[in-house]
Amino acid sequence: MKTLIKNGIVVTADDEFKADVLMDGEKISCIGKDIQVQADKVIDAEGKYVLPGGVDQHVHFSFTYKGSKVRGFETSHAAAVGGTTTVVEFVNQVQGKGLVESIEDYRKTDVDGIAMVDYAFHIIMTDPRDEVIEEMPKLVEAGYTTMKLFMAYKGMFFHAGDDAILKALMKGKEAGITIMVHAENAEMIDVLSKQLIAEGKTEPYYHAVSRPPVVEAEATRRAIYLAELAGAPLYVVHVSCKEAMEAIRDAYTAGQPIYGETCTHYLVLDTECLAKPDFEGAKYVCSPALRTEEHREALWEAINKNWLNAVSSDHCGFDWKEQKHMGRATSFADIPNGTPSFQNRLNVLWTYGVCEGKISRSKFVDLACTTPAKVVGLEGKGAITVGYDADVVIFDPEYRGIISVENNLEDVDYCPYEGFEQKGRAETVFLRGNLIVDNGKYVGQKGQGKFIHGKPFGVSYDTL
Ligand code: URP
Ligand code: ZN
Ligand code: ZN
């Protein structure tokens, strides 16, 4: 099947130009002016942008918090309608099980044959026994090239001590695995939370008070020191504040291979969301916490200047009514952490980044598609390039709408961007040459997504 997209403006991570794009089977086979070929289908993209399918390197379809579990891969078509064609899911190592085994057991029951976009995985190390550390190179053979450790969440089974992080950095470096950290100081949070709760300060807003920027900054600096000792690269996920960003920026500019991402919500939502009445603030309980204007401005600058190199969703689909309400009778500490929405990652980044003049279209592609693919080693993803997978979005910049849970496929009972203006949308989306979104509507099939085998020594190793 040959599909020819004519007259669109192709946007890459460092350029944009008017060109035709030919997709042949699952691949992009030609990019050029006025391509003359007998195609099965021709689409006129005059006035539209031709973008690579988005790569969301940070989603949760299996996260469980105090017994409550998020929506799974059966909602992954929401990514497609938002212009994302590849997602990377964090899988907990099951205690007592190996790393590869934990991912593969999860895949068999919850992912393969269900996913509607392409996918890869990060393992979360929860059980750092010596034999588990020794198993790390086996991850690479199986195509899993990134590992997350949680510095936050004291007392939870997935919390990792500095010893585990250091060992993972050392072993990971030998195999080309990129170590990622959730950088928040668990002890600080524990002390502050207990104090606040003892004072009767239990509402959702105090979630943010219990984890101020210094909590994130300390852990980020500590992780950077651990990486320095190991001589290894480090990737800091969901950076939310100026101080943590500056720690990454300073280490990177001093020559250390330290990288990080931020997330859509940290760029546009404010701490005050947590103060919404009638427990609505619980919708915005995520970790690290939402910050103020000063931090948002610092993050926009950082993504522009490459001090942070990707924008992910950190999608975590807990319902407000049934699940977030777990903390209503007790305290913020029992509210499952995390916010949706991976469907709106590109909508928000385009509307509030590109349309507000904060980032260029090429920067948008770099942050949302190209670099995330490189972080995880997903060759053939995240760019409009000959030989790459034909994951292509025809983006209509003239579309105008309002973001709402009403037109969301995530199956979560709220959207943190409810009522936000949306400028532009993914009008047509192809996944490896197959049409999966037509006129903004999902038209693909369950199980159409395919596992993408990651390659080791991702972009974080480039400057080692
Ligand atoms: O609050 C968050 N971010 N929930 C998802 C799990 C994580 O820490 O990434
Ligand atoms: Zn995290
Ligand atoms: Zn996360």
Side-chain angles (χ1 to χ4, degrees), residues 6-8 17-21 30-36:
K6 290 197 76 67
N7 306 318
F17 47 87
K18 190 158 188 169
D20 298 347
V21 175
C30 186
I31 303 166
K33 292 260 180 259
D34 200 19
I35 296 174
Q36 298 296 328

Side-chain angles (χ1 to χ4, degrees), residues 127 130 213 338 378:
D127 188 8
D130 285 350
L378 305 180

Side-chain angles (χ1 to χ4, degrees), residues 73-74 76-77 111-116 442 444-449:
F73 266 92
E74 66 280 1
S76 53
H77 52 331
V111 189
D112 298 340
I114 298 173
M116 287 169 263
Y442 180 70
Q445 283 158 24
K446 185 175 169 195
Q448 216 171 352

Side-chain angles (χ1 to χ4, degrees), residues 58 60 63 148 150 153 182 238 285-288 314 316 337-338:
H58 190 153
H60 297 276
F63 189 63
K148 178 175 176 182
F150 277 98
Y153 302 114
H182 174 133
H238 49 44
V285 166
C286 61
S287 295
D314 196 1
C316 205
N337 282 208

Side-chain angles (χ1 to χ4, degrees), residues 182-184 189 207-217 220 238-244 262 265-274 284 286-297 299:
H182 174 133
E184 287 187 295
I189 296 166
H207 170 77
V209 182
S210 75
R211 40 219 317 156
V214 65
V215 162
E216 188 182 346
T220 304
H238 49 44
V239 176
S240 76
C241 71
K242 185 167 182 274
E243 294 83 350
T262 189
H265 40 287
Y266 298 123
L267 292 167
V268 296
L269 298 178
D270 193 88
T271 322
E272 286 306 311
C273 292
L274 286 143
Y284 305 91
C286 61
S287 295
L290 296 178
R291 308 292 185 198
T292 56
E293 171 78 19
E294 178 199 5
H295 296 283
R296 286 195 295 284
E297 286 312 315
L299 295 177

